[in-house]
Structures are given as structure tokens and as C-alpha cells.
């Protein structure tokens, strides 16, 4: 507790002494980190929807690669089968859930026990706690993936950030995830990097503790989709977008209905106003 | 202005209640018979839009509070529970989160409209000051609301902003402890912020009632900035203002819905989808967009106490505006110099907002200092001097004149008025 408070105080002091917000090195990072390329996503734009085949492939990549370190604790198995999701049947969802072991209990002898997952369970934690995760990864913490697609972004300068409002561009998080997964490279001459770190073009500061997770042909696709790092990165990013925003399709569908209603209503309101005011001028 | 209502309900039952509690008559005189200047333009519809915003925030907020857990361990997950499992929870939360931004967009337009047309001048000083109080309450409410999801920006924003009070000499550290309910931003802070975040909107609603009461006592200002002189100058609130407000409000809803349904996270920070971590400071702590101009003022002053005073001073100054600008002519339409300074001031405020989002270093700091200085000079030097040296253009004889006036004879006056 004492230690926590001291660290907190240090954080506060440093935050304030840097003129409250800024940290100079953050700005440096921003200058030397290239902007991730913007890809075309099926779920972008006013009629955006998930490509079920794509997010199923992304889910496969998550299960066969990412899941060895990254949890997804806010996502329940049942949501895999709901509308606007991966398109799995009830039986498929049950089968997927049953592949996971869930901590449950205590039972009537007062003991905790493991049992196969049910659709109402959530994806289990990979490590029992943060310390265990860090101990396995040289002090680095593999982050939880539940909302990662909304928790990452990149800065868009003027006037791009205003144009994004009109274009409805909000796919910065998935752009970043794709860029990160495909952004591993050899460190440039003179760039100091430790044994346990890897150089990544898009990671702030360029030193990432995660080894390059993907390689061509690592995950088998049965539908003929190319088994490349780039394709894996796109698919897993799309899947993570669904995980972060499971109601995205409903949001855009209802949004369109609301827009039509409001525009018609605005037209009626306009002519009503015109009629009312006709004799007042 | 309102006067005794001559409202007479038809039904015998309502006549009976009306003799005992004349609430229908009050409604009738306030929202039906109430005379509004006939030359009001669409900038005057934002009062109604703001009431709509407050209503939306209160209704969505009450529903969110039914599902939200104000604990350090549970807040972030309960918000995700709302997003994933509560029926239309995603819609309610996105309306509430974006609604805060919409509220501020509307209030800034409302404030700048008041500045442009001189709505703070005699006899509307108290009306204006009540507005400044509502603005302050809104800022407090929005700040505390942003803490509730307990993401990284919630936590660090709360830490930085509450720490500002420690700059006050003597009482500062005590105030900070009181805000925190301890020695750091933690469970007691979150819980009291939740309580206050629920309370303040109702206080806003109370002050809004006073604001509207004061408005109905002195009557609305108008684009010509002249007093109502006869019945010819006004039209009844219903149907005229209601029809106009209604159209403007639906247009505003389209703008609102654009954000809610298509770019709901555009106005927030990605960092706030990372659960709060007291051991890890984000590289860039930035407040919500609507606080950025004040944040720039805060950081422009090299001393912490000075910065805090400048920031609060920049808002407090608004309350003294009726006595800083002594010009008799209200509307900028008839004040050629003031009109130019007004637009410079708008640009300065937008510039401060942009600088508030930038790191406090190098040229950004210098620019922030220049614009901060200008902000204060505008109120403390330019407006008082203009009151004495500016020669205003002649104002129309009456509102009816400015709207219905003989067009071939006085085209300049008619232009732009309706």
C-alpha cells in the first residue's frame, strides 16, 4: 500500500511537473512512429457489417496463436452465436465453450474445481493474476483483448481529424492492430534494443516485448484464403473489432433507420414552421 | 413580460383545479402565450436544444445508474456489461457519452450567441450570471461523469484535475483530501464522484428553472438588440417559437445521431478503454475536448497557482461581463468594431482549444501564452475601451421595423435580420 502510494505520488508529481499533460518523449514517439496504413474494412461506413467468414478465421488465429498469452475475459461464449456475431449455431457455441476448462466452486465439500465451459461462461483467464503473467514474460504483461480494438488508436492531424467525422472513419484501432502485427522489422543501425525486446515500426517507442507472433502458414485456412501474415493480421483485427463492439451491426442498422426517420421528421418540421410563419413576415 | 394569464380551461374539472393550483395557467403563460420577439433567428433555438440535452442526459443517466457499479474493481466491467448484455445498453451509453459533448456544443453556441448579440446587458445581468453558474455546474458534472468508467483517462484526468486544488495556499491540500476521500484517487473518490454526478444534473435543472424565470421576467433579447415596444414586435411562443425550435431540434438530433450511431467513440479517448492503472501514467493526459481551451490557459502560466487562478478566472470573468462592456448598443449588428473583435475572440478560443490538445512544449507554449493574454485583454481592455470609443451604427426604431420595415427605403436594416 505504502509502495503503491509512493509510486502514485511520483506519477502525479511527474505529470504535473511536465506542465500537467505533456511528456516530451511521447511527442518524440509520435514524430518517429509512422501512421498505420488505412485498410478497407467491411464493418466501416454507414452500412458496415462483419464478414462472418473473416471473423471466424480471425477467431481461429486468436485461438491458435494469441490465446496462449492474451485473455478475453469480458467476452462470453454465448455471444459468439448471437446475431451480428460469428454466425455459430447453438451446438457449435456449446462445443467451443466445452473446450475450455472453467474454475468453479466451491462445491459442497468447500473445494474449487474445474469443469468444461458452458455458453454462459466467459473466456477464462490465461494466468491466475497479473504477477503470474509478468513472471512468465520477463516483466511484460500480455494485455486482455476484450476491448483492445477500441483501446488503440493513432493521431490524425489537421484537417484529417475533421474529414474523419464526415467520412465516419473510426477504424483506427484495427488499422493499428494490423500495422503492429505486420510491423516487425530489423532494428535500424545504432538502435539499442535488449535481448528480450523486438523492433516494431508501429509500436510507440519501437521496443515491444512480444515476439513476432505470426508467420506465413502458421494457421491453416480451409476456405482457400491466403495463409499470409498480412491476411492473418487483417482477420484477427476484424475479429477483435467484433469482440470489442459485438453490437456494431445492430448499431449501424438502427442508426440508418433513425436517420431516415429524423430526416423525414425534419422535412415535416420545416414545412410546419414555414406554414406557421407564413403570415408573420 | 408574462403578466397574469387569461387562460380559461373549458372543462369544469380543470376550472376547478385551476382555481386551486393555477399550474395550467402558468404553463400557458410561459410556453404558449409568452410573447417572443418576432425577429429571433435560429441561434435562439439553442435554449430549447439545451433543455432537450439536459433531459436526455438525465433519462439515459438514470438507466445507466441502474446497471453501473461504482467500485474500483467493478466499474470498468459494469460499463462493458452495459455495452454487451443490457438491452440497448450500447445505445443508452453512447447517447449519454456523446450527449455530454452535444450538450457542450449547444452551450458554447448559446454562450457565443449571447456574446454577439449583447444578451448579457441590462436588464439581463442576473439571467446571464445564472447561465454562467449553469456552465460551471455542467463542467463539474461532465468532469465527474468522465471519471466513472474508471479507464486510464478517467483515473489520470481525475488525478491531475483534483491536484489543481492543492495549489491553493493553506486550504489547498485539505480540499484535495476532501475530494479524494483519502490520500489518492481511489474507491472513495469514485464513489463520491458517482453520488455527485447523480446530484448535480438536478441542481442544473433547478438553476435552469431560475434562468427561464429570469428570462421570462425581462424578455428575450433579439438580433436587433432593441427592446420590445409594442405587440407588433412580438409573436406568441406557441405556435411560432415552438415550430421553429422543433425544426432546429430535429436538425440537431440528426447531428447527434450521426455521432451516436456511426462514430460513437470519436469524441472520447482510446485510452479510456484501458482499465485504470494507478502505477502506469499514460504518455499523454488530455481532458475531453470541451475543456481544452481552459486547459490551454491552465498550462500557459508557468506557476501552478497562477495557472489555476487564470483558468478559474477565465470563467469567473464571464460573470462580470455586463459591467465590463458598458456599451449601450446590445447587438454586434450595430457595433462595427465590436463585431470584428468578436470574431477574433472566437478564433482565439478555437486556437486555445487546439493548443490544449497539444503537448506543452516549444512553440505551443508560446502560442498558448499569447492567446491566453488575448483572452483576458479582450474582456479587461478591449470591451471597456470599445464602450467609450466605438461609434455604433443607428439601430432600427422597433423590432417590427427591422423585420417588416419598408424594404425599398431601408434595405440595409432588413438584410440578414430574417
Amino acid at each position: 500500500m505504502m509502495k503503491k502510494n509512493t509510486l502514485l505520488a511520483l506519477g502525479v508529481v511527474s505529470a504535473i511537473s511536465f506542465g500537467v499533460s505533456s511528456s516530451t518523449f511521447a511527442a518524440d514517439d509520435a514524430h518517429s512512429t509512422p501512421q498505420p496504413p488505412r485498410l478497407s474494412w467491411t464493418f466501416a461506413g454507414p452500412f458496415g457489417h462483419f464478414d462472418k467468414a473473416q471473423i471466424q478465421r480471425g477467431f481461429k488465429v486468436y485461438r491458435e496463436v494469441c490465446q496462449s498469452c492474451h485473455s478475453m475475459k469480458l467476452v462470453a461464449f454465448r455471444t459468439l452465436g448471437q446475431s451480428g456475431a460469428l454466425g455459430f449455431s447453438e451446438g457449435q457455441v456449446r462445443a467451443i465453450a466445452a473446450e475450455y476448462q472453467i474454475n468453479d466452486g466451491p462445491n459442497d465439500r468447500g473445494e474449487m474445481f474445474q469443469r468444461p465451459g458452458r455458453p454462459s461462461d466467459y473466456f477464462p483467464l490465461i494466468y491466475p493474476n497479473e504477477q503470474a503473467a509478468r513472471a512468465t514474460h520477463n516483466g511484460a504483461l500480455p494485455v486482455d483483448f476484450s476491448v483492445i480494438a477500441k483501446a488503440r488508436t493513432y493521431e490524425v492531424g489537421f484537417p484529417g481529424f475533421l474529414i474523419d467525422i464526415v467520412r465516419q472513419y473510426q477504424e483506427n484501432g484495427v488499422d493499428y492492430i494490423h500495422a503492429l502485427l505486420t510491423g516487425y522489422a530489423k532494428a535500424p543501425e545504432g538502435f539499442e534494443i535488449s535481448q528480450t525486446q523486438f523492433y516494431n515500426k508501429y509500436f510507440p517507442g519501437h521496443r515491444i516485448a512480444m515476439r513476432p507472433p505470426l508467420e506465413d502458414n502458421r494457421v491453416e485456412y480451409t476456405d482457400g484464403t491466403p495463409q499470409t501474415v498480412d491476411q492473418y493480421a487483417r482477420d484477427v483485427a476484424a475479429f477483435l473489432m467484433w469482440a470489442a463492439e459485438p453490437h456494431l451491426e445492430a448499431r449501424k442498422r438502427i442508426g440508418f433507420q433513425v436517420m431516415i426517420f429524423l430526416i423525414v421528421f425534419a422535412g415535416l418540421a420545416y414545412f410546419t414552421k414555414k406554414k406557421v410563419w407564413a403570415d408573420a413576415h | 413580460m408574462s403578466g397574469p394569464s387569461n387562460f380559461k380551461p373549458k372543462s369544469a374539472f380543470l376550472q376547478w383545479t385551476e382555481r386551486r393550483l393555477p399550474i395550467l395557467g402558468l404553463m400557458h403563460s410561459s410556453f404558449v402565450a409568452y410573447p417572443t420577439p418576432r425577429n429571433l433567428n435560429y441561434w435562439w433555438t439553442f435554449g430549447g436544444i439545451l433543455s432537450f440535452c439536459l433531459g436526455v442526459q438525465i433519462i439515459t443517466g438514470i438507466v445507466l445508474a441502474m446497471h453501473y457499479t461504482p467500485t474500483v474493481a467493478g466499474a470498468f466491467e459494469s460499463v462493458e456489461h452495459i455495452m454487451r448484455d443490457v438491452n440497448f445498453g450500447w445505445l443508452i451509453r453512447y447517447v449519454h457519452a456523446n450527449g455530454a459533448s452535444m450538450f457542450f456544443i449547444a452551450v458554447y453556441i448559446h454562450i457565443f450567441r449571447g456574446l454577439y448579440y449583447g444578451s448579457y446587458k441590462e436588464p439581463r445581468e442576473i439571467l446571464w450570471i445564472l447561465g454562467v453558474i449553469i456552465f460551471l455546474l455542467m463542467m463539474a458534472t461532465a468532469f465527474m461523469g468522465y471519471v466513472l468508467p474508471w479507464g486510464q483517462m478517467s483515473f489520470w484526468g481525475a488525478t491531475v484535475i483534483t491536484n489543481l486544488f492543492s495549489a491553493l495556499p493553506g486550504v489547498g491540500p485539505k480540499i484535495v483530501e476532501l475530494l479524494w476521500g483519502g490520500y489518492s484517487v481511489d474507491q472513495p473518490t469514485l464513489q463520491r464522484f458517482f453520488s455527485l454526478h447523480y446530484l448535480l444534473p438536478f441542481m442544473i435543472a433547478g438553476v435552469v428553472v431560475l434562468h427561464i424565470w429570469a428570462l421570462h421576467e425581462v424578455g428575450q433579447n433579439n438580433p436587433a438588440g432593441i427592446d420590445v415596444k409594442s405587440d407588433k414586435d412580438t409573436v406568441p411562443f406557441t405556435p411560432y417559437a415552438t415550430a421553429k425550435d422543433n425544426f432546429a431540434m430535429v436538425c440537431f438530433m440528426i447531428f447527434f445521431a450521426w455521432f451516436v450511431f456511426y462514430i460513437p467513440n470519436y469524441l472520447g479517448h482510446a485510452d479510456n478503454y484501458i482499465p485504470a492503472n494507478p502505477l502506469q501514467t499514460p504518455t499523454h493526459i488530455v481532458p475531453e475536448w470541451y475543456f481544452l481551451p481552459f486547459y490551454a490557459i491552465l498550462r500557459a502560466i508557468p506557476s501552478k497557482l497562477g495557472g489555476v487562478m487564470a483558468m478559474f478566472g477565465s470563467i469567473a470573468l464571464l460573470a462580470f461581463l455586463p459591467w465590463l462592456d458598458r456599451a449601450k448598443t446590445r447587438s454586434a449588428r450595430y457595433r462595427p468594431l465590436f463585431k470584428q473583435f468578436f470574431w477574433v475572440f472566437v478564433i482565439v478560443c478555437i486556437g486555445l482549444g487546439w493548443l490544449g490538445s497539444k503537448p506543452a512544449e516549444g512553440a505551443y507554449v508560446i502560442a498558448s501564452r499569447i492567446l491566453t493574454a488575448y483572452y483576458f485583454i479582450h474582456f479587461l481592455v478591449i470591451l471597456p475601451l470599445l464602450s467609450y470609443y466605438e461609434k455604433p451604427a443607428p439601430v432600427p426604431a422597433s423590432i417590427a421595423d427591422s423585420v417588416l420595415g419598408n424594404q425599398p427605403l431601408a434595405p440595409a436594416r432588413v438584410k440578414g435580420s430574417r
Side-chain angles (χ1 to χ4, degrees):
Chain A
M1 198 59 206
M2 185 63 203
K3 194 174 160 213
K4 188 180 152 196
N5 281 343
T6 320
L7 278 171
L8 178 60
L10 273 176
V12 172
V13 169
S14 58
I16 288 168
S17 61
F18 275 114
V20 186
S21 107
S22 68
S23 63
T24 32
F25 30 93
D28 285 349
D29 287 344
H31 293 310
S32 57
T33 310
Q35 181 177 313
R38 290 191 154 184
L39 307 180
S40 95
W41 301 98
T42 60
F43 45 84
F47 305 107
H49 60 277
F50 291 114
D51 173 353
K52 285 197 177 13
Q54 182 180 36
I55 53 175
Q56 285 192 13
R57 290 196 304 268
F59 181 48
K60 191 161 195 270
V61 175
Y62 170 74
R63 295 225 290 167
E64 293 179 20
V65 184
C66 321
Q67 192 179 237
S68 57
C69 303
H70 294 279
S71 59
M72 207 162 58
K73 63 178 180 179
L74 301 175
V75 178
F77 296 118
R78 64 186 149 78
T79 58
L80 294 168
Q82 74 192 12
S83 80
L86 281 68
F88 288 145
S89 68
E90 216 183 307
Q92 283 172 308
V93 170
R94 202 167 294 147
I96 290 166
E99 289 174 29
Y100 292 82
Q101 286 297 311
I102 305 293
N103 266 324
D104 203 348
N107 62 16
D108 39 13
R109 285 191 304 281
E111 290 155 352
M112 303 300 284
F113 60 93
Q114 298 250 309
R115 59 160 176 80
R118 295 189 285 252
S120 59
D121 289 317
Y122 288 75
F123 278 84
L125 293 175
I126 314 293
Y127 303 97
N129 50 56
E130 185 182 331
Q131 286 74 8
R134 285 189 191 275
T136 323
H137 294 278
N138 296 308
L141 176 70
V143 291
D144 185 85
F145 271 5
S146 312
V147 283
I148 195 81
K150 292 197 283 188
R152 294 293 181 274
T153 190
Y154 50 86
E155 205 175 309
V156 182
F158 178 84
F161 80 96
L162 292 176
I163 296 169
D164 281 357
I165 298 178
V166 182
R167 297 184 47 192
Q168 305 182 347
Y169 199 84
Q170 207 177 40
E171 282 64 46
N172 306 34
V174 275
D175 286 342
Y176 174 82
I177 291 169
H178 168 267
L180 183 92
L181 290 172
T182 54
Y184 285 92
K186 228 168 89 67
E189 284 296 314
F191 189 89
E192 278 185 36
I193 196 156
S194 78
Q195 285 286 310
T196 56
Q197 292 177 318
F198 302 86
Y199 184 85
N200 190 300
K201 279 185 279 184
Y202 297 101
F203 190 71
H206 302 302
R207 294 179 187 85
I208 188 166
M210 175 171 72
R211 66 179 165 70
L214 300 171
E215 59 198 64
D216 290 352
N217 297 317
R218 175 150 181 198
V219 179
E220 193 193 345
Y221 281 167
T222 49
D223 61 352
T225 309
Q227 299 179 165
T228 60
V229 170
D230 180 74
Q231 190 60 43
Y232 291 149
R234 284 166 195 261
D235 294 348
V236 81
F239 166 70
L240 291 174
M241 188 71 241
W242 168 80
E245 190 82 6
H247 297 297
L248 181 144
E249 284 190 5
R251 166 158 63 76
K252 296 197 173 188
R253 192 182 61 243
I254 294 171
F256 187 66
Q257 294 162 351
V258 169
M259 281 293 174
I260 297 288
F261 171 80
L262 284 177
I263 289 166
V264 171
F265 189 17
L268 295 175
Y270 174 74
F271 289 112
T272 308
K273 185 257 160 193
K274 231 176 121 121
K275 178 118 202 294
V276 166
W277 281 84
D279 59 344
H281 289 277
Chain B
M1 287 295 299
S2 324
S5 172
N6 50 8
F7 175 70
K8 194 103 183 157
K10 283 202 184 78
S11 101
F13 172 71
L14 288 180
Q15 282 175 12
W16 184 88
T17 57
E18 200 57 14
R19 273 193 31 222
R20 286 150 183 85
L21 179 70
I23 192 164
L24 291 175
L26 179 68
M27 290 302 187
H28 185 266
S29 66
S30 304
F31 301 109
V32 180
Y34 175 65
T36 62
R38 67 191 312 150
N39 60 342
L40 296 186
N41 57 30
Y42 276 103
W43 300 114
W44 260 266
T45 59
F46 281 87
I49 288 171
L50 283 162
S51 317
F52 164 75
C53 287
L54 180 62
V56 167
Q57 290 305 85
I58 289 179
I59 292 166
T60 53
I62 288 172
V63 179
L64 288 173
M66 293 173 186
H67 302 280
Y68 169 78
T69 316
T71 66
V72 167
F76 190 90
E77 288 192 17
S78 72
V79 171
E80 279 304 313
H81 161 70
I82 291 169
M83 291 297 292
R84 289 159 193 275
D85 297 332
V86 174
N87 292 333
F88 293 100
W90 56 270
L91 177 59
I92 298 163
R93 171 166 177 259
Y94 278 154
V95 167
H96 195 74
N98 286 284
S101 283
M102 296 302 136
F103 208 154
F104 275 94
I105 289 172
V107 89
Y108 283 132
I109 293 174
H110 193 64
I111 291 170
F112 278 107
R113 189 269 288 150
L115 291 175
Y116 186 84
Y117 293 109
S119 300
Y120 47 86
K121 294 186 184 198
E122 192 279 327
R124 298 185 181 82
E125 297 93 331
I126 291 185
L127 172 62
W128 173 260
I129 291 168
L130 288 168
V132 175
I133 292 170
I134 294 172
F135 180 48
L136 278 171
L137 288 171
M138 276 176 65
M139 292 174 98
T141 311
F143 163 66
M144 291 195 222
Y146 198 63
V147 175
L148 302 184
W150 210 242
Q152 273 289 67
M153 219 42 108
S154 299
F155 179 88
W156 289 98
T159 304
V160 169
I161 301 299
T162 50
N163 253 301
L164 294 178
F165 291 92
S166 70
L168 300 173
V171 293
K174 281 281 158 214
I175 292 178
V176 177
E177 258 177 46
L178 189 67
L179 287 170
W180 285 347
Y183 303 101
S184 66
V185 175
D186 211 328
Q187 178 60 44
T189 325
L190 176 60
Q191 207 157 342
R192 66 189 52 192
F193 276 23
F194 178 54
S195 168
L196 292 173
H197 183 71
Y198 206 113
L199 168 71
L200 289 184
F202 296 98
M203 290 178 63
I204 293 177
V207 187
V208 166
V209 169
L210 296 180
H211 191 67
I212 295 173
W213 186 8
L215 174 74
H216 285 216
E217 193 55 35
V218 295
Q220 279 160 298
N221 185 30
N222 59 79
I226 49 179
D227 291 330
V228 170
K229 295 192 177 92
S230 70
D231 286 350
K232 268 186 6 196
D233 290 346
T234 63
V235 287
F237 190 89
T238 301
Y240 292 93
T242 359
K244 201 163 179 169
D245 280 353
N246 180 50
F247 173 56
M249 210 176 294
V250 177
C251 291
F252 187 80
M253 283 183 209
I254 294 174
F255 178 75
F256 194 156
W258 185 274
F259 281 86
V260 167
F261 291 102
Y262 297 126
I263 44 174
N265 294 303
Y266 179 85
L267 295 163
H269 297 288
D271 270 10
N272 228 26
Y273 279 107
I274 303 172
N277 182 353
L279 303 180
Q280 192 177 29
T281 320
T283 46
H284 214 79
I285 302 174
V286 189
E288 289 286 79
W289 70 266
Y290 36 82
F291 293 135
L292 289 174
F294 304 103
Y295 195 53
I297 292 175
L298 168 77
R299 297 188 305 173
I301 313 289
S303 100
K304 187 174 165 188
L305 178 60
V308 171
M309 286 177 57
M311 184 178 73
F312 285 113
S314 65
I315 303 163
L317 205 51
L318 289 172
F320 296 96
L321 186 55
W323 296 277
L324 290 168
D325 176 9
R326 310 298 301 254
K328 288 277 173 282
T329 309
R330 291 197 192 102
S331 172
R333 193 175 278 176
Y334 308 106
R335 297 184 63 191
L337 281 176
F338 171 80
K339 190 193 264 180
Q340 291 172 31
F341 281 110
F342 170 84
W343 288 111
V344 173
F345 180 70
V346 171
I347 292 164
V348 165
C349 290
I350 293 170
L352 280 169
W354 179 69
L355 289 165
S357 74
K358 293 287 163 193
E361 59 189 27
Y364 296 136
V365 176
I366 298 164
S368 301
R369 289 191 182 146
I370 294 169
L371 296 193
T372 300
Y374 187 87
Y375 182 98
F376 285 96
I377 289 170
H378 176 82
F379 287 111
L380 295 172
V381 180
I382 294 173
L383 290 185
L385 285 181
L386 278 183
S387 324
Y388 290 101
Y389 292 104
E390 185 183 38
K391 197 177 168 322
V395 298
S398 75
I399 292 173
D401 235 28
S402 85
V403 184
L404 315 164
N406 202 334
Q407 293 200 13
L409 286 175
R413 286 179 186 174
V414 175
K415 199 176 154 214
S417 67
R418 279 225 49 83

